[in-house]
Amino acid sequence: MSSSPGHTDAPSFLACFHCGLPVPDGAHYPIQYEEKPQQTCCRGCQAVAQTIIDSGQGAYYIHRTVLPATPQVAEAELAQLGLYDLPEIQESFVRVEAEHIREAALILENIVCAACIWLNERHIAALPGVLSVEINYATRRARVRWDNSRIQLSAILKAVSDIGYIAHPFDPGRSDDIYKRERNTAIKRLAIAGLGMMQVMMYALPSYTATDMTDDIRLLMRWASLILTIPVVLYSASPFFIGAWRDLKRRTLGMDVPVALGVGTAFIASVYATFFGHGEVYYDSVTMFIFLLLTGRFLEMNARRRAGAAVEELVKLIPAATTRLPQWPLRGEEQVPVARLAVGDHVLVRPGETLPADGVVIDGDSAVSEAMLTGESLPVSKSKGAKVVGGSLNQASPLVVRVDKLGADTRLAAIVRLLDRAQSEKPRIGQLADRAAAWFVGLLLLITVLVGVAWYVIDPSKVLWIVVSILVVTCPCALGLATPAALTTATGRLTRLGLLTTRGHALETLARATDLVFDKTGTLTLGRLSVRRVIPLNGRSEHEVSEIAAALEAGSEHLIARALREAAHSPLTASGIRNTPGRGVEGEIGKRTYRLGSPRFVASDHTPPEASDGASWVALAEGNELVAWFALADTPRADAPAALAALRQQGLRLHLLSGDAEGAVKATAQQLGITDWHAGALPEDKLAYVKALQQQRRIVAMVGDGINDAPVLAGAQVSIAMGEGADVAQAAADMVMLGSRLATLADGVALARKTQHIIRQNLGWALAYNLVAIPAAALGHVTPWLAGIGMSVSSLLVVLNALRLSDYQPKPPAAVPALPSPLPAPR
């Protein structure tokens, strides 16, 4: 008889080497595996198995723990794979990185165990032209990067189907279907365990309480209990046995090993006592233990789903359909799937609808909520020319939007990619916990053997249930869940607050940060000039001179002109405009000639007022008479004082590094209360400054936004890029601010420290629980069913404690004085 490696049960029939189903009489589909002939049941299994072996992945048949389904990929479906190579189809789920480099999000079906992940990653990575592949076992989601000049996407999908799996573009609906199937299976196992437990307890209760029960009735009760316990052990508890067998085959001791040993030992001892008529039976303890364990795991599964819901919520923001305006600006509209949109299309987004893609407003004025993307609670005004982000909600009036980016190129897709990466990377504390859980099981088995030997000498009748109790009560599940549950919940909560974590270590490092280094322009300031002070002269009013200046600059796009226009909406009209590059502008308003520009151009015989903040002075003259001074400077963000005050209260030392002139940097530092500042800093100077702090054993967090900040962002222990900043800065950063609220930084530090506190609580609870539970079980004070409760509760408490982070609300910042006036009052 032939059987394949990795089978958990030895079949009584000739089993297919690949799928384990019976080989039909007369079927002859042989393959060669390790120089031995093996039989398969059909041409599909023969082709898949031979492909796996020929590609050098034969070890799959050693590592797998669950048998795959017989390949059922129809020829018609294989023929349609070529459609995924069409650019118009790829727009919705493929991101173009370079001329030929592509990245796609796929979802895999028929994944049943970790060996399936191993096989698919090895098989896809071996394809010529595939640059990288990462598969998340929990979500079945794969990210594949390939060189489109060497291999097509259809060839990758075909290669996956060749080994018996199905790959297709990621669809959140299908991801939900997979979760629902797993949840339904868990409910079935739980229901059978619950019914079995109740019935077995009904038979066990008379055995404990009745004093006149005959041996025949007692034996009947045992046989009835055995019959009811068999489906509970073989079906409901099968995940524990499969997991333990998988771990033992890999010569590792996982968390299922002690559970399987405890359940199996108690069940086998009970069966022996039932058949031979002597000894105790533990059917009630076995069924109750399995039911309690499955209840705990079911609750954990739902809790983990909630903890990791941030990515799924973001993915579902994009609507399935939208209203396209095919003949804009002419009338006419049509409902189309978002997947059929193309760059350049015009779409109508009504109030209450979600924007389907990134784009630019062509017509309309409205307020758009970007709360899910940026954490900003207040709607943002959008009018003609404003950029909008797919996934944001239109709240006020209809908008006509021109589509600029679709699918994998949108900002929402980039956020999902970064969040995926952060949640898949384990920080140092998580790696330590995993290693501790691994050796903990070995230590537990050694203690169990020693305790069993001791009780065999003291009282042999108690050996079995004490050994089972030790194996059950001290499972290291809580230790293994302590870190990932907290990190997954925290990263999801931070994303909703507006701070996207892109690296696994970022939260841990941010919690330990001692120094926070800021860039100035675009980080602490708005990155654009504004009128900070108007000094009217010779009896003119501030309003009058501001309108004159705005009228003279009405047609210019210079930064100074834009600032003057924003300061006053002028009803005046200037004519005869004459621009002198680098100096200023001259024109007529109401038969009067005005000049506006640099002091040397307008009033060379006048000295500008003193400016301690490095502001730029612009002069306005009527003819030869000076009528006003305008001070322009980059303005600190409105929430900067409160945010920096909150960071100081958290014990962080603040620094300001900028390439700007000393006057401007000094003024900004003084306004924001930063004592450590440096001006005229080049990128290499910023990096050297951070390295100097690190040499003092300081843990540095860097916040920046520009291309010149990329080196220092990469050099800091943890780096944060502004969401409005350059792509290079965001790529080098460990975290990205999705909005413009600097208060998000203080929220992030507080939540990072809270996360570390929760992780320490979880690890402390797991350690304390085991230190108490092991001696109690070894002394005989813990029965098997009570051990089941203890183990389930310990794991569940860890997850529920981590879920507290999902509702974390940052404290409102303390009130701070308004920004000080940067310029002295005119005399």
Side-chain angles (χ1 to χ4, degrees), residues 558-624:
H558 192 276
L559 290 176
I560 293 178
R562 192 177 303 168
L564 291 170
R565 288 200 306 272
E566 290 176 353
H569 298 284
S570 177
L572 305 177
T573 302
S575 60
I577 299 295
R578 297 174 297 280
N579 183 38
T580 304
R583 302 187 68 186
V585 64
E586 189 175 357
E588 287 78 34
I589 300 176
K591 297 183 180 180
R592 295 182 179 180
T593 301
Y594 293 92
R595 281 186 298 168
L596 178 72
S598 67
R600 183 173 297 180
F601 173 67
V602 175
S604 58
D605 55 343
H606 290 75
T607 302
E610 293 183 4
S612 60
D613 68 340
S616 299
W617 285 104
V618 173
L620 174 66
E622 178 185 341
N624 294 322

Side-chain angles (χ1 to χ4, degrees), residues 91 343-344 356-359 390 402-411 727:
E91 281 183 355
V343 173
D358 294 0
R402 185 188 69 234
V403 175
D404 283 350
K405 293 181 179 179
L406 283 166
D409 294 328
T410 62
R411 185 181 181 192
D727 292 341

Side-chain angles (χ1 to χ4, degrees), residues 758-772:
I758 292 289
I759 290 174
R760 285 193 292 269
Q761 282 183 342
N762 285 348
L763 293 174
W765 158 253
L767 182 61
Y769 165 78
N770 283 291
L771 289 176
V772 173

